[in-house]
Amino acid sequence: MRRILPCALVLPILLLTGCGTPEREVTAEPPEPPGTATDPSGSPTDEWEEPEGDEGDDSAEGAVRGSEYAFGEGAVFPYPVGAYEEEFREGVEEDVVYTVDDVALTPSGQVGFTLTLEVPELGRVLGTGFLDVRCSYEGHEGPATTEAPLGELETGTHVTDMVCGGPDSPSSVLVSVVNGEDEADFAGPVG
């Protein structure tokens, strides 16, 4: 007659024996520290491998929230093509470009500039309902204002003149542009 062990005794035995799985090799060597490479012979080297990609890359991987650009330089943000999310095809994107230029003092001594958005064929409009443009200079930060809000943008180039309030006649300014997940800082001297 065969004897049956209670479940409470069988579980610890199964856990200790690995439940019939192949045995794992245990080594006494510590894991390699980060930044240490191993050459093909298996011996560690002190070489550091740079991550792939160019830091100046404006692709989706290269664009970083809050990246800083010079006045007149375009901040590039990829957008999926299609009218609805279910129409988006993986890897099919077009670049929306934001540019701040023509930065100069207004007759009243405030900072005036031009914000340009270049919108490619996306199969839909690009909304700017949550567009927030702010200026920082000489310890002051405040919103930029415009008399012609952009609204929903069709394919093409869209330009609006903006003004920042604050201290009179600053020599340089930082203009922060945020639209949804797009965020870029433009900095430079005031002309």
Side-chain angles (χ1 to χ4, degrees):
M1 180 170 171
R2 210 159 71 166
R3 196 168 172 176
I4 300 176
L5 293 174
C7 288
L9 293 176
V10 174
L11 183 59
I13 294 170
L14 289 174
L15 290 174
L16 289 174
T17 61
C19 300
T21 59
E23 294 180 10
R24 287 187 262 170
E25 183 179 329
V26 178
T27 61
E29 295 177 24
E32 291 181 17
T36 303
T38 304
D39 69 13
S41 68
S43 60
T45 65
D46 290 330
E47 295 178 23
W48 171 257
E49 292 184 26
E50 288 291 328
E52 290 185 25
D54 181 14
E55 286 184 20
D57 185 10
D58 285 332
S59 66
E61 291 79 23
V64 178
R65 289 179 58 90
S67 295
E68 191 169 301
Y69 302 88
F71 294 141
E73 185 178 7
V76 178
F77 295 95
Y79 276 78
V81 174
Y84 301 100
E85 193 170 336
E86 58 270 10
E87 292 179 1
F88 298 166
R89 291 180 293 166
E90 189 173 335
V92 179
E93 297 177 329
E94 293 290 335
D95 293 333
V96 173
V97 181
Y98 295 77
T99 308
V100 170
D101 54 10
D102 300 328
V103 182
L105 292 176
T106 65
S108 63
Q110 295 180 316
V111 177
F113 61 92
T114 301
L115 173 64
T116 304
L117 273 75
E118 295 175 36
V119 181
E121 179 58 53
L122 296 174
R124 65 181 184 286
V125 296
L126 175 70
T128 62
F130 296 107
L131 179 68
D132 183 33
V133 181
R134 305 187 71 74
C135 297
S136 303
Y137 49 90
E138 297 179 9
H140 172 78
E141 180 182 334
T145 59
T146 182
E147 292 181 11
L150 292 170
E152 293 186 336
L153 307 180
E154 299 283 342
T155 302
T157 301
H158 306 274
V159 180
T160 187
D161 293 325
M162 304 192 91
V163 176
C164 293
D168 288 345
S169 306
S171 59
S172 63
V173 66
L174 173 75
V175 178
S176 298
V177 179
V178 178
N179 187 26
E181 293 184 11
D182 301 345
E183 182 176 336
D185 294 329
F186 298 87
V190 177

